[in-house]
Amino acid sequence: MTATPFRTTLATTLRAAGCVFAEDEADLILATARNDSEVTAMVTRRTAGHPLEHVLGWAEFGGLRVAVDEGVFVPRRRTEFLVERAAALAPRGALVVDLCCGTGALGAALAAAPGRDVRLHAADIDPAAVRCARRNVTPLGGTVYEGDLYAPLPAALRGRVDVLLANVPYVPSGEVALLPQEARVHEALVALDGGPDGLDVLRRVTAEAAHWLAPGGALLFETSTRQAPEAVRAVETAPGDLTAQVVTCEDRDATVVVARYGR
């Protein structure tokens, strides 16, 4: 199955279907599949336009191999920048909440960071995402809840959260149709569509953030460069004493807003 001619044939097939990194994808498929039948099935799905991560059943994120089920939002490598910023702020033993958690990749990566020893809670409204997140988060001692934003979280967490991760959907509704096919066809719309200007879900998160954060706690979320000024406004006009800072990583084309509570 792993002979060079077979790999070459796979790479040629993938390249013909438009896969830019065909050789790398062929290697990943060959390393993941257990037999030739699985290789064939994976290549068929990939050439039909399924995201590579859905085909493999996993994605690399923050040094972890994160389970990714069909239909669930695929964690983007640029979002590792958000996790890195969160890790820099999280005290040892921090209470961490991962809202709109998808696969749970953000919280899992933070929980797995050396020396963090965090207490992790995560939530998502999509039942498929919750099932997937439990596979990634539960082995790290975390708990995943199903529901809308803060609604399913235990009331005992109010006022105690040190780090609130919220990788909310932020694509404007009118731009969802412009996304690559892999996203708009194979990922849940609820994980992509952020409303007319892309910030509807974010405003709901910021409106309640101060009720959940501990003094000195931080809310971190990803946005686009274009949306950053309005995202900051959403933070600073929300109830509570929240101040926002925009941080960027040009190498990963990542824009993150860090909002501190009570500082």
Side-chain angles (χ1 to χ4, degrees):
M1 183 175 70
T2 58
T4 299
F6 192 24
R7 174 186 181 274
T8 301
T9 299
L10 290 183
T12 299
T13 301
L14 292 167
R15 190 179 303 105
C19 300
V20 177
F21 302 104
E23 288 79 8
D24 293 339
E25 293 194 12
D27 288 339
L28 289 169
I29 288 172
L30 289 170
T32 302
R34 292 168 295 186
N35 52 54
D36 288 357
S37 295
E38 287 194 357
V39 170
T40 300
M42 287 182 175
V43 172
T44 298
R45 292 179 64 211
R46 181 62 179 135
T47 56
H50 290 255
L52 177 65
E53 295 82 2
H54 288 170
V55 171
L56 298 175
W58 58 270
E60 289 187 7
F61 185 88
L64 301 179
R65 179 174 285 196
V66 176
V68 184
D69 293 338
E70 185 74 23
V72 178
F73 182 82
V74 175
R76 278 38 169 183
R77 296 297 293 270
R78 66 170 178 267
T79 311
E80 292 175 341
F81 179 62
L82 187 156
V83 175
E84 291 166 7
R85 302 301 300 186
L89 297 172
R92 185 177 180 85
L95 178 59
V96 175
V97 169
D98 183 0
L99 287 185
C100 303
C101 70
T103 62
L106 278 67
L110 184 55
R116 294 299 93 191
D117 192 28
V118 306
R119 295 164 290 159
L120 175 60
H121 299 262
D124 201 286
I125 196 170
D126 179 9
V130 170
R131 290 192 296 271
C132 186
R134 285 176 176 152
R135 294 167 58 198
N136 294 313
V137 169
T138 303
L140 296 169
T143 305
V144 184
Y145 309 91
E146 181 180 333
D148 187 20
L149 299 181
Y150 303 99
L153 297 177
L157 300 184
R158 282 180 173 265
R160 297 176 51 216
V161 178
D162 297 300
V163 175
L164 177 57
L165 307 172
N167 196 25
V168 298
Y170 59 90
V171 179
S173 300
E175 297 179 18
V176 171
L178 305 178
L179 291 173
Q181 177 181 319
E182 290 184 12
R184 71 175 187 272
V185 174
H186 297 287
E187 294 179 323
L189 182 62
V190 71
L192 302 170
D193 191 340
D197 68 350
L199 299 176
D200 279 4
V201 182
L202 172 64
R203 292 188 183 95
R204 294 179 57 215
V205 169
T206 59
E208 294 190 49
H211 297 300
W212 294 88
L213 289 170
L219 161 67
L220 298 96
F221 59 88
E222 188 175 86
T223 189
S224 69
T225 302
R226 171 170 56 91
Q227 293 168 311
E230 189 61 32
V232 168
R233 190 172 297 111
V235 169
E236 297 189 337
T237 58
D241 183 17
L242 290 167
T243 57
Q245 175 189 14
V246 178
V247 291
T248 61
C249 176
E250 292 186 6
D251 289 345
R252 284 175 281 196
D253 192 26
T255 300
V256 169
V257 176
V258 180
R260 303 301 298 270
Y261 175 57
R263 283 190 182 178

